[in-house]
Amino acid sequence: MSATPVLPVRSAPTSDAGGPAPRRLTRRVARRAQASPMAYAFLVVVLLASIFPLWWSFVIGSKDATAINSGSVSLIPGGNFLANARTVVDSLPFWKAMVNSVIVSTVVALAVVLLSTLAGFAFAKLRFRGKEGMLVFVIATMAVPTQLGIVPLFIVMSKLGWIGSLGAVIVPSLVNAFGVFWMTQYLKEALPDELIEAARVDGATVFRTFWNVALPAARPGAAMLGLFTFIATWTNFFWPFIVLDPGNPTLPVALQQLQAEYYVDYSLVLAGVVLAALPLIVVFAVAGRQLVSGIMQGAVKG
Amino acid sequence: MRPRSPLRQRLSRLDAQVSPYAYVSPFFLLFAVVGLFPLGYTLWVSLHQWNLIGGQGAFVGLKNYTDVLGQPFFWNSLRNTLSIFLLSSVPQVVFAVLIAAALDAGLRAKTFWRMGVLLPYVIAPVAVVLIFNDLFGDRFGLVNQALGWVGLDPIAWHKDTLASHVAIASMVNFRWTGYNALIFLAAMQTIPRDYYEAALIDGAGRIRTFFSITIPQLRATIIFVVLTSTIGGLQIFDEPRLFDSAGQGGADRQWQTLTIFLYNIGWTQKNFGRAAAVAWLLFLIIIVFALVNFVVTRRIASRESR
């Protein structure tokens, strides 16, 4: 539940070049192929808007309370970030929250990738009775909102005695319909039927075919699914907020406590925001290119 | 081909028949427990008296539903949810298409621009609210100070209903506009370049080609983005919940949304029967809006393509 990455439906691969170069290349078309200064100017503004809130939280997070309340605006960071960060870390179970977030996001991402690849392989490449119906069912459940199930899910978790434990966050997210659909679509295209046939002719078991043929072909799609699931789980708030207690939070739940505690002292609140955002910014720096192409691959063809 | 013994042949046929079920079953088993069962059980809970501590009580039929529908706060939260939803999804789609058009214009260093646009997506909504809460501070917030520089009066972002909705919508837009822009960009790149070339030769300008070619060709993608933002937008919780430290959606519930309403009934008033009824009502509202949106966007998009 609730860790569904909001990725669009994959259908057709897109090319960066936008098709073959037109043959009748007039001068005007050639000029059109280059971005106008207007486009650059517009994108610079968009980029500044993307970066500014983050920069601002670092600026405020690095000042002391008196500097902020003086009322003067400055975009230059002060020297207090480490002191603020230490206060935040000391007053919250911050490291615990960090470790919890890593555990929850990693376990959920791995489980979703594994189970989705298994099911996606069966749906994309194997023949069995009831397949079409099952696949339609999987797709239909993607539209059901997470909120619908939280009351009974909470009742179940409290009957199991899991409230306050990470299991209550992890278990409902272990599967998601979107992941199955994504891997099904991916393997349909990425894995040629001839390879499956060849493996069968060679006498490989279905599992060997999965392990030696399907899994290597699935890797890029699976990596993408894992990345998006990781981010969705890391940033998820609603369900962890309901089932976890303040002593054992994930990062978003801990951050929310920060606001309740230091409502007036935004230097501390925003220092905490920066600390909590750092891991995902690192992920973004390393895998941002893949994230971009993952979204682009997923788009619906018109 | 290797010759096989009859036993091996039978085993391999069994393998081919059974394996597919073995591979899809972990998904379906887990899904039955954490997805399907809660769905039906919510309906059951909503028809009973039920509280967090005492558990199941008497069967009350539709009373939970009529109780909820009789509460002014329900209608208030429905209005707020729709208002925030409109303020976030409409500008978001418009800006995403514009950004995509700029990204599609033959840029240098295109990966750099694409990544820059996507950056907000990795910031958790909780973190976004905390940052924007500071920016939209009623007294010394940067936004109000900036308004002062151009001679405007400060706005009561945490008191005025419409202003609070604008502030909350801006947080949603911050996180999702760039993401949607990349989806639109991908769709734009599948539009054959010949169309643009032909339009140019016919003497159409940039703006004319944008409205006569780009937008109609994006029809399916626009419908997709509007639908996903409807399903997500009507469930909004994080941003309005943390917009002030009390978490009630404002002193006068100015920005209380349906999901905050649901949470308060279930976990503050501990009335699970009613909370389950709200959950079902929310689901029905989402379905209705998704259908309306689908029809409306399709009609708009197809009129443009004519």
Side-chain angles (χ1 to χ4, degrees), chain A residues 80-142:
Chain A
N80 243 26
F81 182 77
L82 289 179
N84 288 341
R86 191 162 308 131
T87 310
V88 169
V89 167
D90 289 344
S91 66
L92 288 180
F94 191 85
W95 295 120
K96 193 165 196 181
M98 185 75 85
V99 171
N100 282 347
S101 279
V102 170
I103 292 173
V104 169
S105 305
T106 310
V107 171
V108 168
L110 287 178
V112 166
V113 165
L114 181 72
L115 297 177
S116 301
T117 310
L118 260 178
F121 169 63
F123 279 128
K125 296 293 163 182
L126 302 180
R127 248 169 290 160
F128 56 99
R129 196 170 297 179
K131 177 165 109 170
E132 298 307 319
M134 286 183 188
L135 194 56
V136 168
F137 175 79
V138 168
I139 294 167
T141 57
M142 277 163 48

Short mmCIF file of all heavy atoms in Angstrom, two decimals, chain A residues 80-142:
data_model
loop_
_atom_site.label_atom_id
_atom_site.label_comp_id
_atom_site.label_asym_id
_atom_site.label_seq_id
_atom_site.Cartn_x
_atom_site.Cartn_y
_atom_site.Cartn_z
N ASN A 80 25.81 28.75 11.18
CA ASN A 80 25.29 27.97 12.29
C ASN A 80 24.74 26.60 11.92
O ASN A 80 24.10 25.95 12.74
CB ASN A 80 24.17 28.77 12.97
CG ASN A 80 24.54 29.11 14.39
OD1 ASN A 80 25.73 29.19 14.71
ND2 ASN A 80 23.54 29.31 15.24
N PHE A 81 24.97 26.17 10.68
CA PHE A 81 24.29 24.95 10.24
C PHE A 81 24.64 23.74 11.11
O PHE A 81 23.76 23.00 11.53
CB PHE A 81 24.61 24.66 8.77
CG PHE A 81 23.88 23.44 8.27
CD1 PHE A 81 22.54 23.52 7.96
CD2 PHE A 81 24.53 22.22 8.15
CE1 PHE A 81 21.83 22.40 7.53
CE2 PHE A 81 23.84 21.10 7.72
CZ PHE A 81 22.50 21.19 7.41
N LEU A 82 25.93 23.56 11.38
CA LEU A 82 26.32 22.38 12.13
C LEU A 82 25.74 22.39 13.54
O LEU A 82 25.29 21.36 14.05
CB LEU A 82 27.85 22.26 12.17
CG LEU A 82 28.48 21.89 10.82
CD1 LEU A 82 29.99 21.81 10.92
CD2 LEU A 82 27.91 20.56 10.31
N ALA A 83 25.74 23.58 14.16
CA ALA A 83 25.17 23.68 15.51
C ALA A 83 23.68 23.35 15.48
O ALA A 83 23.17 22.60 16.32
CB ALA A 83 25.39 25.09 16.06
N ASN A 84 22.97 23.91 14.48
CA ASN A 84 21.54 23.60 14.35
C ASN A 84 21.31 22.12 14.10
O ASN A 84 20.42 21.51 14.67
CB ASN A 84 20.93 24.41 13.20
CG ASN A 84 20.80 25.87 13.55
OD1 ASN A 84 20.83 26.24 14.72
ND2 ASN A 84 20.68 26.72 12.54
N ALA A 85 22.14 21.57 13.21
CA ALA A 85 21.99 20.16 12.89
C ALA A 85 22.18 19.31 14.14
O ALA A 85 21.44 18.35 14.37
CB ALA A 85 23.00 19.75 11.82
N ARG A 86 23.16 19.71 14.98
CA ARG A 86 23.41 18.93 16.19
C ARG A 86 22.19 19.00 17.12
O ARG A 86 21.78 17.99 17.69
CB ARG A 86 24.67 19.44 16.91
CG ARG A 86 25.12 18.49 18.01
CD ARG A 86 26.57 18.73 18.43
NE ARG A 86 27.48 18.74 17.30
CZ ARG A 86 28.38 19.70 17.08
NH1 ARG A 86 28.46 20.73 17.91
NH2 ARG A 86 29.18 19.64 16.05
N THR A 87 21.60 20.20 17.26
CA THR A 87 20.41 20.33 18.10
C THR A 87 19.30 19.41 17.60
O THR A 87 18.64 18.72 18.38
CB THR A 87 19.90 21.78 18.08
OG1 THR A 87 21.00 22.64 18.36
CG2 THR A 87 18.80 21.99 19.11
N VAL A 88 19.10 19.41 16.30
CA VAL A 88 18.05 18.58 15.72
C VAL A 88 18.31 17.10 15.99
O VAL A 88 17.44 16.36 16.45
CB VAL A 88 17.97 18.82 14.19
CG1 VAL A 88 17.08 17.78 13.54
CG2 VAL A 88 17.44 20.21 13.91
N VAL A 89 19.56 16.69 15.74
CA VAL A 89 19.92 15.29 15.92
C VAL A 89 19.77 14.86 17.38
O VAL A 89 19.33 13.74 17.67
CB VAL A 89 21.35 15.06 15.41
CG1 VAL A 89 21.88 13.71 15.85
CG2 VAL A 89 21.39 15.16 13.89
N ASP A 90 20.09 15.80 18.29
CA ASP A 90 19.99 15.45 19.71
C ASP A 90 18.56 15.41 20.22
O ASP A 90 18.24 14.66 21.13
CB ASP A 90 20.79 16.47 20.56
CG ASP A 90 22.29 16.29 20.37
OD1 ASP A 90 22.67 15.22 19.85
OD2 ASP A 90 23.06 17.20 20.72
N SER A 91 17.70 16.24 19.64
CA SER A 91 16.36 16.35 20.21
C SER A 91 15.37 15.36 19.61
O SER A 91 14.28 15.18 20.12
CB SER A 91 15.83 17.77 20.05
OG SER A 91 15.65 18.03 18.67
N LEU A 92 15.73 14.73 18.52
CA LEU A 92 14.84 13.75 17.89
C LEU A 92 15.56 12.43 17.79
O LEU A 92 16.78 12.38 17.81
CB LEU A 92 14.51 14.18 16.46
CG LEU A 92 13.59 15.36 16.21
CD1 LEU A 92 13.46 15.54 14.72
CD2 LEU A 92 12.23 15.14 16.82
N PRO A 93 14.81 11.34 17.65
CA PRO A 93 15.49 10.08 17.32
C PRO A 93 15.89 10.11 15.85
O PRO A 93 15.42 9.31 15.03
CB PRO A 93 14.43 9.02 17.59
CG PRO A 93 13.12 9.73 17.56
CD PRO A 93 13.37 11.18 17.84
N PHE A 94 16.78 11.08 15.51
CA PHE A 94 17.04 11.35 14.11
C PHE A 94 17.74 10.21 13.39
O PHE A 94 17.36 9.79 12.31
CB PHE A 94 17.85 12.65 13.97
CG PHE A 94 17.92 13.13 12.56
CD1 PHE A 94 16.92 13.91 12.04
CD2 PHE A 94 18.98 12.78 11.74
CE1 PHE A 94 16.96 14.35 10.72
CE2 PHE A 94 19.04 13.21 10.43
CZ PHE A 94 18.03 14.00 9.93
N TRP A 95 18.81 9.70 14.02
CA TRP A 95 19.55 8.62 13.35
C TRP A 95 18.71 7.37 13.25
O TRP A 95 18.76 6.62 12.27
CB TRP A 95 20.87 8.32 14.07
CG TRP A 95 21.80 9.49 14.00
CD1 TRP A 95 22.32 10.19 15.05
CD2 TRP A 95 22.28 10.14 12.81
NE1 TRP A 95 23.09 11.23 14.59
CE2 TRP A 95 23.08 11.23 13.22
CE3 TRP A 95 22.10 9.93 11.44
CZ2 TRP A 95 23.72 12.08 12.33
CZ3 TRP A 95 22.71 10.77 10.54
CH2 TRP A 95 23.51 11.83 10.99
N LYS A 96 17.90 7.16 14.29
CA LYS A 96 16.98 6.02 14.24
C LYS A 96 16.04 6.17 13.05
O LYS A 96 15.78 5.22 12.31
CB LYS A 96 16.18 5.95 15.54
CG LYS A 96 15.45 4.66 15.70
CD LYS A 96 14.98 4.48 17.12
CE LYS A 96 14.61 3.03 17.34
NZ LYS A 96 14.12 2.77 18.67
N ALA A 97 15.54 7.39 12.88
CA ALA A 97 14.62 7.64 11.76
C ALA A 97 15.33 7.40 10.44
O ALA A 97 14.76 6.81 9.51
CB ALA A 97 14.08 9.07 11.83
N MET A 98 16.58 7.84 10.35
CA MET A 98 17.35 7.66 9.12
C MET A 98 17.53 6.17 8.84
O MET A 98 17.28 5.70 7.71
CB MET A 98 18.71 8.36 9.28
CG MET A 98 19.58 8.36 8.05
SD MET A 98 19.02 9.52 6.79
CE MET A 98 19.78 11.06 7.31
N VAL A 99 17.95 5.42 9.85
CA VAL A 99 18.13 3.98 9.67
C VAL A 99 16.81 3.32 9.30
O VAL A 99 16.74 2.50 8.38
CB VAL A 99 18.73 3.35 10.95
CG1 VAL A 99 18.72 1.83 10.85
CG2 VAL A 99 20.15 3.85 11.18
N ASN A 100 15.73 3.71 9.99
CA ASN A 100 14.41 3.14 9.68
C ASN A 100 14.03 3.40 8.23
O ASN A 100 13.51 2.52 7.54
CB ASN A 100 13.34 3.75 10.59
CG ASN A 100 13.37 3.12 11.98
OD1 ASN A 100 14.00 2.10 12.19
ND2 ASN A 100 12.68 3.76 12.91
N SER A 101 14.25 4.64 7.78
CA SER A 101 13.88 4.97 6.41
C SER A 101 14.68 4.14 5.41
O SER A 101 14.14 3.68 4.40
CB SER A 101 14.10 6.46 6.12
OG SER A 101 13.01 7.20 6.62
N VAL A 102 15.97 3.96 5.71
CA VAL A 102 16.80 3.15 4.82
C VAL A 102 16.28 1.71 4.78
O VAL A 102 16.11 1.12 3.71
CB VAL A 102 18.29 3.17 5.26
CG1 VAL A 102 19.09 2.14 4.49
CG2 VAL A 102 18.86 4.57 5.07
N ILE A 103 15.99 1.17 5.97
CA ILE A 103 15.51 -0.22 6.03
C ILE A 103 14.20 -0.37 5.27
O ILE A 103 14.05 -1.21 4.38
CB ILE A 103 15.30 -0.67 7.50
CG1 ILE A 103 16.65 -0.75 8.22
CG2 ILE A 103 14.58 -2.02 7.56
CD1 ILE A 103 16.52 -1.03 9.71
N VAL A 104 13.22 0.48 5.62
CA VAL A 104 11.89 0.36 5.01
C VAL A 104 11.97 0.51 3.49
O VAL A 104 11.46 -0.33 2.74
CB VAL A 104 10.93 1.42 5.61
CG1 VAL A 104 9.65 1.49 4.81
CG2 VAL A 104 10.63 1.10 7.06
N SER A 105 12.67 1.55 3.03
CA SER A 105 12.70 1.81 1.59
C SER A 105 13.44 0.69 0.85
O SER A 105 13.03 0.29 -0.25
CB SER A 105 13.38 3.15 1.30
OG SER A 105 12.75 4.17 2.01
N THR A 106 14.53 0.20 1.43
CA THR A 106 15.29 -0.85 0.75
C THR A 106 14.49 -2.14 0.67
O THR A 106 14.38 -2.76 -0.40
CB THR A 106 16.62 -1.12 1.50
OG1 THR A 106 17.28 0.13 1.71
CG2 THR A 106 17.51 -2.04 0.70
N VAL A 107 13.92 -2.54 1.80
CA VAL A 107 13.17 -3.81 1.82
C VAL A 107 11.99 -3.73 0.85
O VAL A 107 11.76 -4.64 0.05
CB VAL A 107 12.68 -4.13 3.25
CG1 VAL A 107 11.73 -5.33 3.22
CG2 VAL A 107 13.86 -4.42 4.16
N VAL A 108 11.26 -2.61 0.92
CA VAL A 108 10.09 -2.48 0.04
C VAL A 108 10.51 -2.48 -1.43
O VAL A 108 9.91 -3.18 -2.25
CB VAL A 108 9.29 -1.20 0.39
CG1 VAL A 108 8.26 -0.89 -0.69
CG2 VAL A 108 8.61 -1.36 1.74
N ALA A 109 11.56 -1.73 -1.75
CA ALA A 109 11.99 -1.66 -3.16
C ALA A 109 12.42 -3.04 -3.65
O ALA A 109 12.04 -3.47 -4.75
CB ALA A 109 13.12 -0.65 -3.32
N LEU A 110 13.20 -3.77 -2.83
CA LEU A 110 13.65 -5.10 -3.26
C LEU A 110 12.48 -6.05 -3.44
O LEU A 110 12.40 -6.78 -4.43
CB LEU A 110 14.65 -5.67 -2.24
CG LEU A 110 16.04 -5.03 -2.23
CD1 LEU A 110 16.91 -5.66 -1.15
CD2 LEU A 110 16.70 -5.19 -3.60
N ALA A 111 11.55 -6.02 -2.49
CA ALA A 111 10.41 -6.94 -2.57
C ALA A 111 9.55 -6.64 -3.78
O ALA A 111 9.14 -7.54 -4.52
CB ALA A 111 9.58 -6.87 -1.29
N VAL A 112 9.28 -5.35 -3.99
CA VAL A 112 8.44 -4.98 -5.13
C VAL A 112 9.11 -5.40 -6.44
O VAL A 112 8.46 -5.97 -7.32
CB VAL A 112 8.15 -3.46 -5.12
CG1 VAL A 112 7.58 -3.00 -6.45
CG2 VAL A 112 7.18 -3.12 -4.00
N VAL A 113 10.41 -5.17 -6.53
CA VAL A 113 11.12 -5.53 -7.76
C VAL A 113 11.08 -7.05 -7.97
O VAL A 113 10.75 -7.53 -9.06
CB VAL A 113 12.58 -5.03 -7.71
CG1 VAL A 113 13.41 -5.72 -8.78
CG2 VAL A 113 12.62 -3.53 -7.88
N LEU A 114 11.38 -7.80 -6.93
CA LEU A 114 11.44 -9.26 -7.06
C LEU A 114 10.06 -9.84 -7.43
O LEU A 114 9.91 -10.56 -8.42
CB LEU A 114 11.94 -9.88 -5.76
CG LEU A 114 12.05 -11.40 -5.82
CD1 LEU A 114 13.23 -11.81 -6.70
CD2 LEU A 114 12.20 -12.00 -4.43
N LEU A 115 9.05 -9.48 -6.64
CA LEU A 115 7.72 -10.05 -6.88
C LEU A 115 7.14 -9.57 -8.21
O LEU A 115 6.46 -10.32 -8.90
CB LEU A 115 6.78 -9.71 -5.72
CG LEU A 115 7.20 -10.30 -4.36
CD1 LEU A 115 6.26 -9.88 -3.25
CD2 LEU A 115 7.27 -11.82 -4.44
N SER A 116 7.40 -8.31 -8.55
CA SER A 116 6.86 -7.79 -9.81
C SER A 116 7.54 -8.44 -11.01
O SER A 116 6.90 -8.71 -12.03
CB SER A 116 7.05 -6.28 -9.90
OG SER A 116 6.42 -5.64 -8.84
N THR A 117 8.85 -8.69 -10.90
CA THR A 117 9.55 -9.31 -12.02
C THR A 117 9.08 -10.75 -12.22
O THR A 117 8.84 -11.19 -13.35
CB THR A 117 11.08 -9.28 -11.78
OG1 THR A 117 11.46 -7.96 -11.43
CG2 THR A 117 11.82 -9.70 -13.02
N LEU A 118 8.91 -11.46 -11.11
CA LEU A 118 8.38 -12.84 -11.19
C LEU A 118 7.02 -12.85 -11.88
O LEU A 118 6.81 -13.56 -12.87
CB LEU A 118 8.23 -13.41 -9.78
CG LEU A 118 9.29 -14.34 -9.24
CD1 LEU A 118 8.95 -14.74 -7.82
CD2 LEU A 118 9.42 -15.58 -10.12
N ALA A 119 6.10 -12.05 -11.35
CA ALA A 119 4.74 -12.05 -11.90
C ALA A 119 4.74 -11.49 -13.32
O ALA A 119 4.04 -11.99 -14.20
CB ALA A 119 3.82 -11.24 -10.99
N GLY A 120 5.55 -10.44 -13.54
CA GLY A 120 5.60 -9.82 -14.86
C GLY A 120 6.11 -10.80 -15.91
O GLY A 120 5.61 -10.84 -17.03
N PHE A 121 7.10 -11.62 -15.53
CA PHE A 121 7.62 -12.65 -16.44
C PHE A 121 6.51 -13.62 -16.83
O PHE A 121 6.31 -13.92 -18.02
CB PHE A 121 8.78 -13.38 -15.76
CG PHE A 121 9.24 -14.62 -16.47
CD1 PHE A 121 9.77 -14.55 -17.75
CD2 PHE A 121 9.14 -15.86 -15.85
CE1 PHE A 121 10.20 -15.70 -18.41
CE2 PHE A 121 9.57 -17.02 -16.50
CZ PHE A 121 10.09 -16.93 -17.78
N ALA A 122 5.75 -14.07 -15.83
CA ALA A 122 4.66 -15.02 -16.13
C ALA A 122 3.62 -14.38 -17.04
O ALA A 122 3.18 -14.98 -18.02
CB ALA A 122 4.02 -15.49 -14.82
N PHE A 123 3.25 -13.14 -16.72
CA PHE A 123 2.21 -12.47 -17.53
C PHE A 123 2.69 -12.16 -18.94
O PHE A 123 1.93 -12.24 -19.90
CB PHE A 123 1.76 -11.18 -16.84
CG PHE A 123 0.76 -11.40 -15.74
CD1 PHE A 123 0.98 -10.85 -14.49
CD2 PHE A 123 -0.38 -12.15 -15.97
CE1 PHE A 123 0.05 -11.06 -13.47
CE2 PHE A 123 -1.31 -12.36 -14.95
CZ PHE A 123 -1.09 -11.82 -13.70
N ALA A 124 3.96 -11.81 -19.07
CA ALA A 124 4.45 -11.40 -20.38
C ALA A 124 4.77 -12.59 -21.28
O ALA A 124 4.54 -12.54 -22.49
CB ALA A 124 5.69 -10.51 -20.22
N LYS A 125 5.29 -13.67 -20.71
CA LYS A 125 5.89 -14.70 -21.56
C LYS A 125 5.38 -16.12 -21.36
O LYS A 125 5.73 -17.01 -22.13
CB LYS A 125 7.42 -14.71 -21.35
CG LYS A 125 8.09 -13.42 -21.80
CD LYS A 125 8.01 -13.26 -23.30
CE LYS A 125 8.31 -11.82 -23.69
NZ LYS A 125 8.20 -11.58 -25.13
N LEU A 126 4.60 -16.39 -20.33
CA LEU A 126 4.15 -17.76 -20.12
C LEU A 126 2.68 -17.89 -20.47
O LEU A 126 1.94 -16.90 -20.45
CB LEU A 126 4.38 -18.19 -18.67
CG LEU A 126 5.83 -18.10 -18.17
CD1 LEU A 126 5.93 -18.55 -16.73
CD2 LEU A 126 6.77 -18.93 -19.05
N ARG A 127 2.28 -19.12 -20.80
CA ARG A 127 0.87 -19.34 -21.12
C ARG A 127 0.21 -20.07 -19.96
O ARG A 127 0.73 -21.08 -19.49
CB ARG A 127 0.75 -20.18 -22.41
CG ARG A 127 0.18 -19.38 -23.56
CD ARG A 127 0.34 -20.13 -24.85
NE ARG A 127 1.73 -20.19 -25.25
CZ ARG A 127 2.22 -21.09 -26.11
NH1 ARG A 127 1.45 -22.00 -26.63
NH2 ARG A 127 3.50 -21.07 -26.45
N PHE A 128 -0.89 -19.56 -19.48
CA PHE A 128 -1.63 -20.29 -18.45
C PHE A 128 -3.08 -19.84 -18.42
O PHE A 128 -3.41 -18.74 -18.85
CB PHE A 128 -0.98 -20.15 -17.08
CG PHE A 128 -0.78 -18.74 -16.59
CD1 PHE A 128 -1.67 -18.17 -15.68
CD2 PHE A 128 0.30 -17.98 -17.02
CE1 PHE A 128 -1.48 -16.88 -15.21
CE2 PHE A 128 0.49 -16.68 -16.55
CZ PHE A 128 -0.40 -16.13 -15.65
N ARG A 129 -3.92 -20.71 -17.91
CA ARG A 129 -5.35 -20.42 -17.91
C ARG A 129 -5.66 -19.29 -16.93
O ARG A 129 -5.12 -19.24 -15.84
CB ARG A 129 -6.13 -21.69 -17.52
CG ARG A 129 -7.59 -21.60 -17.86
CD ARG A 129 -8.25 -22.94 -17.70
NE ARG A 129 -7.70 -23.94 -18.63
CZ ARG A 129 -8.11 -25.19 -18.66
NH1 ARG A 129 -9.03 -25.61 -17.82
NH2 ARG A 129 -7.58 -26.03 -19.53
N GLY A 130 -6.52 -18.38 -17.35
CA GLY A 130 -6.94 -17.30 -16.45
C GLY A 130 -6.02 -16.09 -16.50
O GLY A 130 -6.20 -15.14 -15.75
N LYS A 131 -5.00 -16.16 -17.40
CA LYS A 131 -4.02 -15.09 -17.41
C LYS A 131 -4.63 -13.73 -17.73
O LYS A 131 -4.40 -12.75 -17.00
CB LYS A 131 -2.95 -15.42 -18.46
CG LYS A 131 -1.90 -14.36 -18.63
CD LYS A 131 -0.72 -14.89 -19.38
CE LYS A 131 -0.64 -14.31 -20.78
NZ LYS A 131 0.62 -14.64 -21.45
N GLU A 132 -5.43 -13.67 -18.80
CA GLU A 132 -5.99 -12.37 -19.21
C GLU A 132 -6.81 -11.75 -18.08
O GLU A 132 -6.66 -10.59 -17.77
CB GLU A 132 -6.86 -12.55 -20.46
CG GLU A 132 -6.11 -13.06 -21.68
CD GLU A 132 -4.87 -12.25 -22.00
OE1 GLU A 132 -4.96 -11.00 -21.90
OE2 GLU A 132 -3.82 -12.85 -22.31
N GLY A 133 -7.67 -12.58 -17.49
CA GLY A 133 -8.52 -12.09 -16.41
C GLY A 133 -7.70 -11.55 -15.25
O GLY A 133 -7.99 -10.48 -14.72
N MET A 134 -6.65 -12.29 -14.88
CA MET A 134 -5.81 -11.86 -13.76
C MET A 134 -5.13 -10.53 -14.06
O MET A 134 -5.04 -9.65 -13.21
CB MET A 134 -4.72 -12.90 -13.48
CG MET A 134 -5.22 -14.15 -12.80
SD MET A 134 -3.80 -15.22 -12.46
CE MET A 134 -4.62 -16.70 -11.90
N LEU A 135 -4.68 -10.38 -15.29
CA LEU A 135 -3.96 -9.15 -15.65
C LEU A 135 -4.91 -7.95 -15.63
O LEU A 135 -4.57 -6.87 -15.12
CB LEU A 135 -3.32 -9.31 -17.04
CG LEU A 135 -2.27 -8.25 -17.39
CD1 LEU A 135 -1.17 -8.21 -16.34
CD2 LEU A 135 -1.67 -8.52 -18.76
N VAL A 136 -6.12 -8.16 -16.14
CA VAL A 136 -7.11 -7.09 -16.10
C VAL A 136 -7.40 -6.70 -14.65
O VAL A 136 -7.48 -5.52 -14.30
CB VAL A 136 -8.43 -7.53 -16.80
CG1 VAL A 136 -9.55 -6.54 -16.50
CG2 VAL A 136 -8.20 -7.64 -18.30
N PHE A 137 -7.49 -7.71 -13.80
CA PHE A 137 -7.73 -7.46 -12.38
C PHE A 137 -6.61 -6.61 -11.77
O PHE A 137 -6.85 -5.65 -11.05
CB PHE A 137 -7.85 -8.81 -11.65
CG PHE A 137 -7.97 -8.68 -10.17
CD1 PHE A 137 -9.18 -8.34 -9.58
CD2 PHE A 137 -6.87 -8.90 -9.35
CE1 PHE A 137 -9.28 -8.21 -8.22
CE2 PHE A 137 -6.97 -8.77 -7.99
CZ PHE A 137 -8.18 -8.43 -7.41
N VAL A 138 -5.36 -6.99 -12.09
CA VAL A 138 -4.22 -6.24 -11.56
C VAL A 138 -4.30 -4.77 -11.97
O VAL A 138 -4.12 -3.86 -11.16
CB VAL A 138 -2.89 -6.85 -12.06
CG1 VAL A 138 -1.71 -5.93 -11.76
CG2 VAL A 138 -2.65 -8.20 -11.43
N ILE A 139 -4.61 -4.55 -13.25
CA ILE A 139 -4.67 -3.18 -13.75
C ILE A 139 -5.81 -2.41 -13.08
O ILE A 139 -5.65 -1.25 -12.69
CB ILE A 139 -4.82 -3.17 -15.28
CG1 ILE A 139 -3.55 -3.75 -15.91
CG2 ILE A 139 -5.08 -1.77 -15.81
CD1 ILE A 139 -3.67 -4.09 -17.37
N ALA A 140 -6.95 -3.10 -12.90
CA ALA A 140 -8.11 -2.43 -12.31
C ALA A 140 -7.81 -1.95 -10.89
O ALA A 140 -8.22 -0.87 -10.48
CB ALA A 140 -9.31 -3.36 -12.31
N THR A 141 -7.04 -2.75 -10.14
CA THR A 141 -6.79 -2.37 -8.74
C THR A 141 -5.85 -1.18 -8.62
O THR A 141 -5.76 -0.57 -7.57
CB THR A 141 -6.16 -3.53 -7.95
OG1 THR A 141 -4.96 -3.93 -8.62
CG2 THR A 141 -7.10 -4.70 -7.85
N MET A 142 -5.17 -0.83 -9.72
CA MET A 142 -4.26 0.33 -9.65
C MET A 142 -5.01 1.61 -9.38
O MET A 142 -4.45 2.58 -8.88
CB MET A 142 -3.47 0.45 -10.96
CG MET A 142 -2.26 -0.46 -11.00
SD MET A 142 -1.59 -0.70 -12.66
CE MET A 142 -1.52 0.94 -13.29
#
